[in-house]
Amino acid sequence: MKPESIQQPQYVVMPVPPLEDMPSKDKTLFLLQPVVEMVRPRVEEKLPGSFTYFKLLVVMIVYCCSLRDAVNLVNTNVVVRLFVGERVGKSTLFDFIGRFARARKDLLREIAKELEAKCRQSYLPSSALYEGIEWLVDSFLLDLPPGKTSLELVLEKLRLDAMDLGPIARVIAFARAWLRARTRRRFEGTWAKKWSRSYFGLKVFPLISTALFVHGLEVEMANFSDVRCRLSRKGLKLVDRGFRERGTFVHPHGNFKYLRPFVEYFGIFLKQHWRPYAETKVRNEAFLYAIAITYNMVHFVSIQRRTPRHLRAVQLP
């Protein structure tokens, strides 16, 4: 077949399938559309002219994919195309991540306050009924690729080069190669051990309200001790035994011990949507804030779906 006779595939607009027939990720993104539009003024205030890139960032979190795959999904997935609305360049999205990193703390706090204020008290989780505790704090370890050692590669090359060497010279060459070999790390992280398992990566401390909305984050290296947590928000914070009981940090006792499992909802969401988004700690921290914002919107949708339709703050599909 001649090259000029090959036809390039054209973009075809397909109808949106029914909600019950959508895959889980498409369904989540489709339900988030009115919520994202509701927080649009907050995003435009902090990041003027970047609302489209913010929506593409949400796509990355929901589908747990890279920047390149998120841009490609706009052209191949009808739900993503409907959610984003227009095509976005990958290089421009890289620039947006830097802007988002500078405004991440205020954006997370304001969106969490707005969404929590729009929920009716009677339909919040049962943890919101406890009085005396304002915040739940825990720590979660996040895995990163630990890097590849160059030892195997060096020894394999040396084995081929040392075929003509004598026994003593070969041993000396292998010993020198062993001392020169180093582990090459691509991602910024440290080693830590928890529950008899070793982790390489980061540690995140979420600040969660009793309504289970994330209002703040602290991201550190994996070997960062829990007793050094510096979440300085006002209010009594419930922590586990790994934290030091000081100031506003208190250990669960009495009825408060039943509040501890509620913090795991964010931990489960974090494990499902976490991937090595970037190589540096600063960039990964920006994506962790994006995961927290997406979690708040998903949690808001779950509260609105169990609220009667005429009492909802936003009309869901």
Side-chain angles (χ1 to χ4, degrees):
M1 183 180 295
K2 296 182 179 180
E4 57 270 18
S5 63
I6 299 178
Q7 296 182 356
Q8 296 294 330
Q10 300 295 323
Y11 182 80
V12 179
V13 179
M14 301 292 293
V16 178
L19 187 64
E20 59 272 11
D21 295 338
M22 291 183 183
S24 60
K25 294 180 180 179
D26 290 356
K27 184 177 181 179
T28 299
L29 194 67
F30 189 72
L31 291 174
L32 284 180
Q33 188 169 1
V35 184
V36 172
E37 291 295 333
M38 187 175 64
V39 302
R40 181 170 188 163
R42 300 287 184 183
V43 180
E44 291 287 358
E45 180 184 356
K46 300 295 180 182
L47 302 167
S50 302
F51 186 63
T52 301
Y53 304 106
F54 173 77
K55 291 190 291 186
L56 196 62
L57 187 60
V58 175
V59 172
M60 288 183 59
I61 303 304
V62 172
Y63 288 85
C64 194
C65 62
S66 63
L67 291 172
R68 185 186 301 275
D69 292 337
V71 172
N72 293 337
L73 279 173
V74 178
N75 299 328
T76 58
N77 190 306
V78 63
V79 177
V80 177
R81 182 60 178 257
L82 178 66
F83 180 81
V84 177
E86 60 178 311
R87 299 179 63 179
V88 180
K90 182 168 67 70
S91 59
T92 312
L93 184 58
F94 271 107
D95 299 334
F96 168 75
I97 298 299
R99 297 175 55 195
F100 175 81
R102 292 188 289 271
R104 65 191 186 280
K105 294 184 179 180
D106 295 336
L107 195 60
L108 173 62
R109 181 174 60 252
E110 293 180 7
I111 289 179
K113 287 182 177 179
E114 180 178 357
L115 295 179
E116 189 170 348
K118 291 181 179 297
C119 295
R120 290 186 172 267
Q121 187 71 23
S122 55
Y123 297 98
L124 290 175
S126 59
S127 57
L129 303 177
Y130 285 84
E131 297 181 358
I133 297 292
E134 296 186 41
W135 306 106
L136 307 176
V137 178
D138 205 349
S139 61
F140 301 101
L141 287 169
L142 302 175
D143 284 322
L144 288 172
K148 297 180 180 180
T149 177
S150 59
L151 180 61
E152 292 87 352
L153 183 61
V154 169
L155 293 181
E156 178 62 22
K157 291 182 177 179
L158 185 61
R159 186 184 65 84
L160 298 176
D161 296 337
M163 295 179 65
D164 298 333
L165 298 178
I168 298 178
R170 187 178 306 174
V171 171
I172 295 175
F174 270 83
R176 290 177 177 174
W178 184 283
L179 295 175
R180 290 198 309 266
R182 295 291 184 272
T183 300
R184 293 174 293 189
R185 307 237 186 255
R186 178 186 173 191
F187 295 91
E188 185 179 359
T190 56
W191 284 100
K193 193 170 185 179
K194 184 177 182 181
W195 302 113
S196 301
R197 180 189 169 189
S198 296
Y199 296 84
F200 179 84
L202 304 173
K203 179 182 285 189
V204 57
F205 299 88
L207 183 72
I208 304 176
S209 66
T210 54
L212 305 187
F213 286 92
V214 180
H215 286 249
L217 288 177
E218 181 182 347
V219 182
E220 301 290 347
M221 293 298 180
N223 61 352
F224 188 82
S225 177
D226 291 352
V227 299
R228 298 169 57 194
C229 180
R230 300 184 299 267
L231 290 171
S232 58
R233 198 73 59 88
K234 294 182 179 180
L236 206 58
K237 305 174 185 67
L238 194 67
V239 296
D240 61 10
R241 294 177 300 173
F243 295 78
R244 182 168 54 197
E245 189 167 355
R246 71 189 190 281
T248 59
F249 287 77
V250 297
H251 293 170
H253 58 277
N255 293 331
F256 289 150
K257 64 182 180 181
Y258 297 106
L259 280 172
R260 289 300 310 160
F262 287 98
V263 76
E264 296 296 334
Y265 287 111
F266 176 68
I268 295 173
F269 187 89
L270 187 61
K271 295 293 185 181
Q272 291 176 342
H273 296 84
W274 166 250
R275 65 183 298 274
Y277 288 100
E279 297 180 1
T280 63
K281 171 181 172 293
V282 176
R283 285 270 175 164
N284 275 321
E285 183 177 353
F287 283 102
L288 285 169
Y289 271 84
I291 293 176
I293 293 175
T294 306
Y295 164 81
N296 286 339
M297 293 190 293
V298 171
H299 182 51
F300 177 78
V301 168
S302 66
I303 295 174
Q304 294 300 307
R305 295 191 73 182
R306 61 173 173 263
T307 304
R309 185 173 294 273
H310 65 284
L311 298 177
R312 294 175 180 174
V314 60
Q315 295 302 322
L316 301 175

